[in-house]
Amino acid sequence: VIVKCNEFVKEIEIKVNPAPEATDIIVTGATTVEVNKNIQLEATVVPAEVEYKIYWSSENTNIFTIDQTGYITGVSEGTANVILKCGQFEKKISITVTPKPKAEDIIVKGKQKVYIGNTLQLTAEVIPSIVESEVVWASSNANILNVTPNGKVIPIMVGEANVIVKCDGVEKSYPIIVEEYPTSIEIYGDSNIKVNEFKFYEFNIEEKVVLYSSDPSIAEVANNSLLGKKEGKITLTAYKADDNQLVGT
């Protein structure tokens, strides 16, 4: 640099140093991702004084894609490199894309009898539980029963048919019996009870049932259970809550 003032001249030497170059890129984050899942990578340039921007790219976009923030999306099973560039420096990180987990078994849960006019809700537990594939429901005989996409059984006519449940090539059949709606209530439970003992009862219909004791001083009804109070004999009567014509004893 030349500085002049009238006849006076002075020269000053300025030394320009090259911009610092990256010597390494430290990458953190998972290196394995499932198909259709995502992972986030983070990158730090060494030395910290480097001002060049990091550019991200995928060596094979058929296996995974990556944006300029390091966000990776698995596309198909395989292994490929993430390429990071900062100035003249380049680094590669291997990324493995694994297949989505597939169903190995299906456990169907729910009752196996339904009456005409009612519905029956079934559930399906896919093994292993991390499987996210769709569960498909179907009926082996649509003349006897239909099944909704969420596993609700709708009876059509008396008979027997299977509910078919499928997931990832695994198929299970779940037998269902369709019967006419009962003309009386059946009470399931022990007919002997001790003093100060509770007994609980179940019924052959899904709707709410109300119980009555012929002598509450001997055995008292409380929420579909019976409390023995003293020695004796009673008649236990069950009524459908919204239809007193449907009775069982």
Side-chain angles (χ1 to χ4, degrees):
V1 173
I2 301 172
V3 183
K4 290 183 179 182
C5 183
N6 294 327
E7 299 301 322
F8 183 80
V9 177
K10 189 170 185 177
E11 293 184 0
I12 300 173
E13 184 179 87
I14 303 296
K15 185 178 181 180
V16 179
N17 295 318
E21 290 283 345
T23 58
D24 194 8
I25 302 175
I26 300 173
V27 181
T28 57
T31 56
T32 301
V33 62
E34 288 181 14
V35 173
N36 296 329
K37 294 288 188 177
N38 306 99
I39 54 175
Q40 178 70 57
L41 299 183
E42 303 289 343
T44 303
V45 179
V46 178
E49 295 79 14
V50 174
E51 296 181 355
Y52 293 114
K53 181 180 178 181
I54 297 176
Y55 291 92
W56 305 77
S57 62
S58 170
E59 189 177 60
N60 188 341
T61 55
N62 291 322
I63 293 178
F64 68 83
T65 61
I66 187 168
D67 67 13
Q68 291 307 307
T69 68
Y71 191 68
I72 291 176
T73 300
V75 176
S76 64
E77 183 180 0
T79 300
N81 289 323
V82 169
I83 302 173
L84 301 94
K85 291 183 178 181
C86 182
Q88 300 301 311
F89 185 83
E90 179 178 298
K91 188 168 187 175
K92 294 182 179 181
I93 300 293
S94 179
I95 300 295
T96 299
V97 180
T98 58
K100 295 173 62 177
K102 292 188 176 182
E104 300 172 5
D105 195 8
I106 304 172
I107 300 174
V108 184
K109 298 178 180 180
K111 295 185 177 181
Q112 293 182 281
K113 181 189 290 186
V114 62
Y115 296 124
I116 298 293
N118 284 357
T119 59
L120 173 63
Q121 182 64 57
L122 301 179
T123 60
E125 179 185 352
V126 179
I127 307 296
S129 59
I130 58 175
V131 173
E132 297 180 351
S133 303
E134 180 184 11
V135 174
V136 178
W137 300 81
S139 170
S140 66
N141 189 337
N143 292 322
I144 293 176
L145 60 87
N146 288 326
V147 188
T148 67
N150 67 348
K152 180 182 286 188
V153 177
I154 302 172
I156 306 299
M157 63 181 292
V158 172
E160 297 184 20
N162 290 326
V163 170
I164 310 298
V165 189
K166 298 180 181 180
C167 183
D168 287 338
V170 177
E171 180 176 316
K172 282 295 182 73
S173 294
Y174 196 72
I176 299 292
I177 299 172
V178 179
E179 296 182 349
E180 291 287 357
Y181 197 86
T183 56
S184 64
I185 298 177
E186 296 179 11
I187 304 173
Y188 306 123
D190 199 339
S191 60
N192 294 310
I193 184 172
K194 297 178 181 178
V195 173
N196 295 325
E197 180 184 23
F198 276 101
K199 289 288 185 179
F200 293 88
Y201 297 89
E202 295 183 346
F203 314 97
N204 61 331
I205 63 173
E206 297 290 335
E207 293 85 351
K208 184 178 180 180
V209 170
V210 179
L211 288 176
Y212 290 96
S213 167
S214 61
D215 190 341
S217 68
I218 296 175
E220 182 180 33
V221 171
N223 296 323
N224 286 348
S225 65
L226 200 61
L227 171 63
K229 303 189 76 175
K230 68 178 183 180
E231 186 177 354
K233 184 176 182 180
I234 66 158
T235 297
L236 187 63
T237 304
Y239 294 93
K240 185 180 175 186
D242 60 355
D243 181 6
N244 287 337
Q245 301 303 309
L246 192 62
V247 182
T249 58

